[in-house]
Structure formats: C-alpha cells, structure tokens
Amino acid sequence: MMQQILQDMYIEPDLLAELNEEQKQILFYKIREEQVRRWNERENQSRSLGAQPGRAASRRSIQWLKGADGEVWVWVMGEAPGDKPFEEIVEELMAERARRQAQQEAQELWRVKEAEIEQKFREAMAKEKARFAAGKWKEETEDRRAAKQEEDRIRAKLKKCEEEERQRGEEEIRRTEKRRAKELYISLKQEEKRSERDDKEWQEQLRRSKAADEEMTRKARRARDEYKRQSLRAIEKGLVAGLSGLFQKTHLNGSGQNRRHSTPVESPAAAPPPETSNTSHGAATAPPVHRRRQNRRHSASTVQMLTDSPAWVRPPRPNCRESILRWFTEEQRPKRAGFERNSTTIAPWFHGIISRQDSESLLMRCPEGSFLVRVSERIWGYTLSYRTASAFKHFLIDASGDCYSFLGVDQSRHATLADLVAFHKEEVITTSGGELLQESCKPRLSSPDYGGLFQ
C-alpha cells in the first residue's frame, strides 16, 4: 500500500482521515523523500542530455557592474556622500506626491467651475437679448443709440460680475487645493504607519511559521528514530517478514522444498537469545519452526483448493463484502490470520468484519489499553482499534503483501498478524501516543460469526 501511494503521489482523503498526526508526519516525510529522489533523477538526466556533443548552449548571461576595488558596485540610497537621509527623502517624495495630486484635482475642479460660470453668464445674455427683442425696439427711433449704450453697460456689468465670480472661484479652488494637499499628506503618513504595523505583524507570522516548521522537523526526526529503533527490535526478536517469503514458498511447494530450505529457516530458532531477553523472547523464536511443520501438513489441501478455485484478480481496494470474504479465504486463512500463535483457536482480540462504530462500542466498556483487530473495508488489511483514557484510536494494518505492518506508523514487518500483536504488547505503536497493547477486547457473544470469515 505504501509503494502504491508513493508511486501515485496521492492518498485518498478518507484513508488520510484514518491516520493520526504522527502517521501523517511519517507519510509526508516519505512523499517528500520520493519527490526529492525524482527531482534528482530528472536533474541527472538533463545534465546528461546537456553534455552531449553537438548541442549548442545558447544561454543568456549577465555581468555585474564592478567598482574600483573589483567588487560588485552597490549604492545604498541615503548612505553615499551628499545623499539626503532616507527619512527626509521619503518626506519630500510624499509631500511632492500630495502636492501634485492636489494640483491635479484643483485643475479638474477649476475646469468644472469655469464651465459652470460660462454657462451661467451665457444664459444671462440670452435672457437679456430676448428681453431687448421683446421690447420691439424700433430701428427708426432715436433711442437706438441709447439702446446700444444700455446694452454695452449691461455687458460691462455682466463682465465685471463674471470677473468677480472668477476671482472668488479661483480663491476657493486655492483653499481647496491646500486643504486637499494637507489631507493627502496626513493620509500618506497614516498609510506609512499602517505599513510598518503590517510589517511587524508579518514578521510575527513568519516567526510562528518558522517555529511550526521546526516543530514539524522535530516530529519527523523523532518518528524516524522510532522507526529505526523498532526495526532493530523486530530484527532482534526474529519477526522480520523476510522469513515469511520462505514460509510461503514451503507452504505452496510441499515437503520436498521444505527439506531444501530447512537450514535457513531453522537457523534463527537455533541462535542464542540476546542478554536482555527473557523467557518470553525465547518462545517468540519457536513459532516459525512450528508454522513450517504445520505448512507441511496442510500444503497438499491448500494447493488443491487453489487449483480448483477460479482465477481471481484482486482489485486495488476492496469494492464489496464478497471480495473481502474471498480475499480472506484465499490469502489470509492460509497464513493463519486471526488465530492464536501455534494454535487453531481464534484469537480473542480478532472480531472479523465489524464497523468502526461497533468497535468503539465494544471498547467503551473496556479499560485503557484494551484493543481489538477487525478486517478493514478500506484497504487489503486490518484495523487495530485502541482504547485510550478519553478517546479511541484506529491504526491501519497493511496486509496486501507477504507481511503485516502498520500503514504510516512504522515499517517493522511481521510474518503473521499474531506476531504483530505480540510485538506491540512490548513496544509502543507511536512514541508520541505511547500506545501499548495490554488487554484484548473479547466479543460480546460466546459464539460470534466473525462476519462469515470462517464459514
């Protein structure tokens, strides 16, 4: 399952939701490691292609301007001789910017005001002309000159009024320009203060982000150390899944091949236990030999069953209950999954096919450290449900290959499901959680059906 995730660089959201925080950290570390490996591979390929003869390297380049000392010439504004201080330059730029913007707004306002004045006096002249025309002055009267003088007087009066209105408009525009320039200057100063405040907030966010990255790095390093420690622990106890391949070969090939492989299978059992081991460790090395002898007795019936059954291609994930039953019957029952070690009795911690809600309901009445194992409906494997002091945890067990291991927690591989459970009765599942398997959660009924797995 882990190889499939690293190959696709994708994990289903519902499968990701089943993992706890430390499992997600290890999975993220593995995916990141795969990304770096692929990137290095592409870089090596591009270098090998670029080194081929006859391939012209048409690359652009830049050259830096250098000073008298031969170093790259750098000019820092406000620090060179004769430069103004940076604060004074900023003040001048803001004042000039405010003045120009206020001048532009004043010009626009004056254009509008001038158009209004011209329109106003144009309408006044039209009204006066209309009034003069309405009087039906007669051209033959002697009052024509007086009418012309009256018209000139009125025109002069209107012109004077227009000039006075223009002066008042210009004075109002100047006052508005000064007031607007002051407002813009204050606004720019406030914007500068807000920018400084935002910069401080950004620095604080950057500090928190770096602290979170360091914490994530520490968690990943702690998970790697725990993975290495548990791997070495599994090797010392003789539970590495390398033995599983030999068990499967002897199980399918009969007693003749068992005799050919008898030496490498029995050598771990004959090795003396380490000094720190107790009597229970010595018992942990005996089951492989017992399973090899048991495989001799059942090899003929198993081969006959696989020969008579039709060929079955296992899908990437379980798609129905029938496929889970067939997978367990054809692949897991020959491996004695769900049984006690060295026994034909079904383990009390194995509950077959039950839902997550049912497992939590069973663990609700059990003390802290209780656990059960159920068949997973999401992957080809199992789910170990664990009871903590205040909640429940569910760990996925990958059984898609020839070994059993937790998905995303550690890579210690075990030959059987019972070996995995026995191993974590002495070793915690995760360092941060400290989950140690203590007591099996037994089924409620005295004769459970296990979801039809053993029918």
Side-chain angles (χ1 to χ4, degrees):
M1 179 61 68
M2 179 65 71
Q3 287 78 6
Q4 183 68 28
I5 294 174
L6 295 179
Q7 180 180 357
D8 299 339
M9 300 298 286
Y10 174 78
I11 182 172
E12 294 289 342
D14 52 354
L15 183 59
L16 182 63
E18 294 288 336
L19 305 179
N20 59 19
E21 187 63 28
E22 187 167 351
Q23 292 173 330
K24 293 178 182 178
Q25 291 290 339
I26 295 179
L27 186 60
F28 170 77
Y29 169 74
K30 291 293 183 181
I31 292 177
R32 184 59 181 167
E33 191 177 54
E34 177 65 16
Q35 289 177 339
V36 173
R37 185 191 67 77
R38 294 183 182 181
W39 183 84
N40 290 330
E41 184 178 352
R42 286 196 299 270
E43 285 293 315
N44 294 332
Q45 291 178 358
S46 61
R47 291 196 193 98
S48 62
L49 292 176
Q52 292 180 359
R55 192 180 288 269
S58 58
R59 297 182 179 177
R60 297 180 180 178
S61 61
I62 60 173
Q63 294 182 353
W64 299 99
L65 179 64
K66 297 184 178 179
D69 54 355
E71 298 296 332
V72 176
W73 184 80
V74 179
W75 173 70
V76 181
M77 183 174 65
E79 296 184 2
D83 287 353
K84 296 180 180 179
F86 178 77
E87 292 78 8
E88 184 178 349
I89 294 175
V90 172
E91 292 285 340
E92 292 179 357
L93 290 176
M94 287 192 296
E96 179 64 21
R97 179 180 175 186
R99 187 187 65 78
R100 289 182 180 179
Q101 187 172 351
Q103 184 179 6
Q104 184 178 0
E105 293 180 0
Q107 291 176 357
E108 184 67 26
L109 185 60
W110 170 244
R111 283 195 294 269
V112 175
K113 189 71 175 177
E114 188 176 17
E116 291 178 356
I117 294 173
E118 290 179 356
Q119 181 67 21
K120 178 179 178 181
F121 286 97
R122 191 180 297 111
E123 293 176 355
M125 278 300 299
K127 289 180 180 180
E128 287 296 329
K129 287 182 180 181
R131 187 174 65 84
F132 291 153
K136 296 182 180 181
W137 291 354
K138 298 180 179 180
E139 296 180 357
E140 64 273 17
T141 61
E142 295 178 357
D143 297 336
R144 183 179 299 175
R145 183 179 296 176
K148 180 65 175 175
Q149 291 176 355
E150 182 69 16
E151 182 180 355
D152 292 340
R153 185 185 64 78
I154 294 174
R155 187 183 297 275
K157 184 180 179 180
L158 292 176
K159 185 68 175 178
K160 184 179 179 180
C161 292
E162 181 181 356
E163 289 296 332
E164 292 176 355
E165 187 74 19
R166 187 184 297 272
Q167 290 177 1
R168 287 194 299 270
E170 290 178 353
E171 184 65 25
E172 184 180 357
I173 292 299
R174 281 194 295 270
R175 289 195 301 268
T176 304
E177 180 180 352
K178 291 181 181 179
R179 185 175 65 255
R180 183 59 178 165
K182 186 176 181 180
E183 291 176 356
L184 290 173
Y185 179 77
I186 296 174
S187 176
L188 290 174
K189 291 291 290 183
Q190 293 176 353
E191 184 67 25
E192 182 184 11
K193 291 181 180 179
R194 281 197 299 269
S195 178
E196 292 177 356
R197 185 169 61 254
D198 294 341
D199 185 66
K200 291 180 180 179
E201 293 178 358
W202 180 83
Q203 292 291 343
E204 179 64 20
Q205 292 179 359
L206 181 62
R207 185 188 65 78
R208 293 177 182 176
S209 177
K210 289 183 178 179
D213 292 341
E214 292 176 358
E215 180 65 21
M216 186 178 296
T217 303
R218 285 194 296 270
K219 287 183 178 180
R221 187 182 298 112
R222 188 164 58 249
R224 289 198 302 269
D225 295 341
E226 179 65 16
Y227 155 66
K228 293 179 181 179
R229 189 183 70 82
Q230 290 193 2
S231 298
L232 293 175
R233 179 67 172 168
I235 293 174
E236 291 177 358
K237 296 187 70 175
L239 302 179
V240 182
L243 298 174
S244 176
L246 298 177
F247 296 152
Q248 295 297 321
K249 291 179 181 178
T250 56
H251 180 70
L252 296 176
N253 295 338
S255 60
Q257 291 188 357
N258 284 336
R259 288 192 299 271
R260 289 197 298 270
H261 294 287
S262 60
T263 302
V265 171
E266 294 178 355
S267 57
E275 295 180 359
T276 58
S277 304
N278 50 25
T279 56
S280 62
H281 293 175
T285 59
V289 179
H290 174 78
R291 285 194 299 275
R292 180 175 59 83
R293 293 172 180 173
Q294 194 176 37
N295 287 338
R296 290 179 181 176
R297 294 194 300 270
H298 297 284
S299 60
S301 61
T302 303
V303 172
Q304 182 66 27
M305 179 184 65
L306 293 176
T307 304
D308 296 339
S309 62
W312 179 57
V313 179
R314 186 179 67 188
R317 293 181 61 182
N319 51 15
C320 61
R321 188 182 183 91
E322 288 72 15
S323 63
I324 297 176
L325 293 174
R326 186 165 187 177
W327 166 76
F328 186 85
T329 303
E330 297 188 3
E331 298 186 17
Q332 295 301 302
R333 287 187 65 177
K335 296 179 182 180
R336 311 298 296 167
F339 288 88
E340 288 278 12
R341 184 188 294 177
N342 303 333
S343 174
T344 58
T345 304
I346 299 177
W349 41 260
F350 187 73
H351 287 245
I353 303 177
I354 62 173
S355 63
R356 177 173 180 155
Q357 291 76 12
D358 292 340
S359 64
E360 294 180 354
S361 177
L362 290 171
L363 291 171
M364 182 69 72
R365 53 188 178 87
C366 296
E368 180 183 359
S370 301
F371 69 97
L372 62 87
V373 177
R374 54 190 174 89
V375 178
S376 175
E377 297 180 355
R378 298 179 181 272
I379 64 171
W380 296 114
Y382 304 88
T383 301
L384 190 146
S385 300
Y386 183 81
R387 176 77 158 93
T388 63
S390 59
F392 307 93
K393 292 185 178 180
H394 303 273
F395 300 93
L396 293 176
I397 302 175
D398 185 11
S400 58
D402 59 349
C403 60
Y404 299 84
S405 63
F406 282 113
L407 181 62
V409 175
D410 67 287
Q411 300 302 316
S412 298
R413 298 178 296 174
H414 305 270
T416 64
L417 188 60
D419 290 344
L420 183 143
V421 173
F423 177 78
H424 286 287
K425 286 183 177 180
E426 300 177 4
E427 297 290 338
V428 296
I429 299 177
T430 62
T431 307
S432 60
E435 302 87 356
L436 195 66
L437 306 183
Q438 298 179 6
E439 183 178 346
S440 302
C441 177
K442 299 180 181 180
R444 292 178 180 176
L445 302 177
S446 57
S447 301
D449 60 350
Y450 301 99
L453 296 178
F454 299 101
Q455 293 180 357

